[in-house]
Amino acid sequence: MYDTLLAFGDSITQFGSNPNISGFVLHLSGYYSRRMDVLNRGFSGYNTRDALPNDARLAPYAQHVPLDEFYENLHKLVMLLRDPNSDYYSPDTRIMFITPPAIGDRMVEDVARRNGYEPDRKNAVTKLYADAVKKVAKEHDLPVVDIWTAIEDLVRGSTSVDSPDCKTENNVAGFVESNTAEHDVPTEGASTSPFEGYEKYLLDGLHLNHSGNELLFRLIVSEIEKTWSSENTA
């Protein structure tokens, strides 16, 4: 019997199984073949009231969850598995958080304009939710993958993505080097893209594209190998 890696979230997770955009869950399934079973339980439109994140959508959209409630919901989700009095108590289950990715504001505005509705995302707001994820992870001593900062650093031309080294070719340094060569990642202040470079990692300003999925996959593997390197996932 293999351990199971469960990817749990919203449409960003759901699309992680899409081969057309090189979904990160598909990458994980291949990478951990014969070591772990990888399951995708991403549900488009879900938030922490239902399961996990879509909360950073702006009010008054129904998916919006206020930041303080989002923070408390994350705590509750952790305690479902960590509280001995919980019906779902599972002390051997390992938990890793992933922040929401950065938002391409101009991409979101462009999609909204073409489809006749008001923009429903802002990167500055999403950063607050990403920070809340990192705060909850720290309070529970849990690993966290910060895809928000990773995309921001790449878009702004920094190669010093804050991520651990890992004993594999699938590390962020390798991603930065290969992605820069292949896609001409803009340097700080030099982007001429109407979407400020976010289109290199995002499909529509929200969901990850091929490069964004590859980046998230490498960050997850790096964090798993740093945190649980002595176990058979490495």
Side-chain angles (χ1 to χ4, degrees):
M1 293 290 292
Y2 298 128
D3 286 340
T4 299
L5 189 160
L6 177 65
F8 189 47
D10 58 12
S11 59
I12 295 171
T13 305
Q14 180 178 322
F15 295 172
S17 290
N18 187 339
N20 295 324
I21 54 174
S22 193
F24 74 93
V25 178
L26 289 181
H27 277 301
L28 290 169
S29 182
Y31 186 79
Y32 288 114
S33 177
R34 301 181 67 179
R35 289 181 287 174
M36 287 196 292
D37 291 327
V38 178
L39 299 180
N40 189 337
R41 292 297 181 267
F43 300 93
S44 179
Y46 272 43
N47 56 41
T48 57
R49 290 175 183 155
D50 307 305
L52 207 60
N54 211 333
D55 307 60
R57 196 173 193 189
L58 302 178
Y61 290 94
Q63 291 169 330
H64 172 75
V65 172
L67 184 61
D68 56 349
E69 182 182 347
F70 173 75
Y71 172 80
E72 291 299 327
N73 287 347
L74 291 180
H75 276 292
K76 291 175 183 177
L77 289 170
V78 172
M79 295 312 295
L80 284 174
L81 299 176
R82 290 291 182 263
D83 184 353
N85 295 316
S86 169
D87 291 339
Y88 305 99
Y89 179 54
S90 181
D92 295 328
T93 296
R94 292 161 288 186
I95 302 171
M96 175 183 293
F97 276 121
I98 302 173
T99 70
I103 296 295
D105 286 341
R106 292 185 181 179
M107 295 181 73
V108 168
E109 291 166 3
D110 180 68
V111 171
R113 182 176 63 253
R114 288 188 284 109
N115 288 277
Y117 60 84
E118 290 298 315
D120 59 351
R121 308 278 174 174
K122 288 288 186 182
N123 197 30
V125 173
T126 298
K127 182 183 185 300
L128 299 177
Y129 286 77
D131 288 343
V133 172
K134 291 187 285 185
K135 182 178 180 181
V136 173
K138 182 177 181 180
E139 290 171 353
H140 289 278
D141 194 26
L142 298 172
V144 61
V145 169
D146 186 3
I147 185 66
W148 189 94
T149 297
I151 290 177
E152 282 293 302
D153 284 351
L154 287 166
V155 167
R156 296 177 185 279
S158 170
T159 58
S160 58
V161 178
D162 183 16
S163 64
D165 292 331
C166 62
K167 300 175 183 177
T168 174
E169 295 178 355
N170 296 303
N171 54 38
V172 175
F175 175 85
V176 172
E177 181 179 354
S178 63
N179 200 62
T180 301
E182 181 179 354
H183 300 291
D184 189 24
V185 175
T187 56
E188 186 172 0
S191 175
T192 59
S193 164
F195 300 124
E196 303 174 305
Y198 289 95
E199 77 281 0
K200 297 184 182 296
Y201 308 100
L202 302 171
L203 281 172
D204 52 7
L206 169 64
H207 298 98
L208 300 172
N209 63 13
H210 182 285
S211 294
N213 273 289
E214 183 179 350
L215 173 61
L216 179 54
F217 158 67
R218 296 190 184 205
L219 287 168
I220 292 171
V221 169
S222 178
E223 190 64 31
I224 287 175
E225 296 191 357
K226 184 190 79 167
T227 306
W228 298 300
S229 59
S230 63
E231 304 182 29
N232 62 3
T233 57

